Amino acid sequence: MPRRREKEKEDIRRARAADARGIVQCLAEAFAPYRDQYTVYGFADTVLNEASVRNRMKQMHLLVAVRNGGIVGTVGGLVGQNLEGHLRGMAVLPSFRGTGIAAQLLAAIEAELRNLGCTRVTLDTTLPLEAAMRFYEKHGYVRSGRVTDFFGMRLIEYAKRL
């Protein structure tokens, strides 16, 4: 029987410009199993390139989870209108799923948004990401009822009071 990785605390920190390549690799590996279920443009908007990662760093708070010097997870958050937070680009390397990294990243970005005055946070996800939906629901997110178009895919909004 394969041994599960122990739940270790990762180094969760603010992303730096030098992390761009690692973030791209993390996103690419995390979303690769869903590529055929995404539209071409939807996948391109989800799995960024290094330039778009650097641009995202300027627009939002981007966090990374690091183990042994490598990026194993990432999430971004921004403060929008009415001090509402919004999460974007949550990903964990497939080999690190089930280790608690996603929960650590989520808690860290929520704390950062709360410290910036947010009392509510939203995120959007697509239908192929059923495991992500279950994860968010487990952590207090509920479907808001808002469904929009994401490059020809249904984009489902979740929300949570902080």
Side-chain angles (χ1 to χ4, degrees):
M1 186 160 137
R3 193 170 164 212
R4 284 184 57 100
R5 285 198 160 112
E6 289 183 35
K7 291 189 178 190
E8 297 178 26
K9 186 164 173 68
E10 307 311 310
D11 178 24
I12 308 289
R13 63 167 171 76
R14 193 77 171 274
R16 304 177 194 124
D19 295 326
R21 178 172 290 173
I23 292 169
V24 169
Q25 290 172 340
C26 181
L27 289 167
E29 285 186 45
F31 287 95
Y34 308 100
R35 184 179 200 129
D36 292 343
Q37 298 172 61
Y38 270 69
T39 63
V40 171
Y41 294 115
F43 194 78
D45 192 67
T46 301
V47 178
L48 308 173
N49 59 38
E50 288 184 46
S52 55
V53 167
R54 284 190 200 92
N55 188 47
R56 189 171 279 184
M57 285 181 200
K58 295 174 187 172
Q59 298 173 345
M60 59 180 30
H61 301 273
L62 196 57
L63 303 180
V64 291
V66 180
R67 180 184 277 179
N68 298 326
I71 293 173
V72 298
T74 185
V75 66
L78 59 86
V79 180
Q81 294 180 355
N82 301 321
L83 292 177
E84 182 171 281
H86 184 72
L87 303 185
R88 184 93 200 267
M90 177 118 175
V92 172
L93 291 177
S95 59
F96 285 88
R97 289 191 183 135
T99 63
I101 292 170
Q104 290 174 36
L105 279 166
L106 186 61
I109 196 67
E110 287 176 349
E112 193 159 327
L113 292 173
R114 192 178 300 108
N115 289 339
L116 293 169
C118 293
T119 58
R120 182 176 188 262
V121 65
T122 63
L123 61 88
D124 299 307
T125 191
T126 59
L127 291 175
L129 303 179
E130 292 176 24
M133 288 186 232
R134 287 190 303 273
F135 170 81
Y136 293 127
E137 289 167 357
K138 177 181 173 185
H139 288 88
Y141 287 81
V142 294
R143 286 188 185 203
S144 71
R146 183 172 182 243
V147 178
T148 56
D149 179 75
F150 179 65
F151 302 101
M153 300 177 68
R154 292 181 65 205
L155 194 63
I156 301 161
E157 183 184 71
Y158 279 78
K160 177 181 177 179
R161 290 261 170 232
L162 293 180

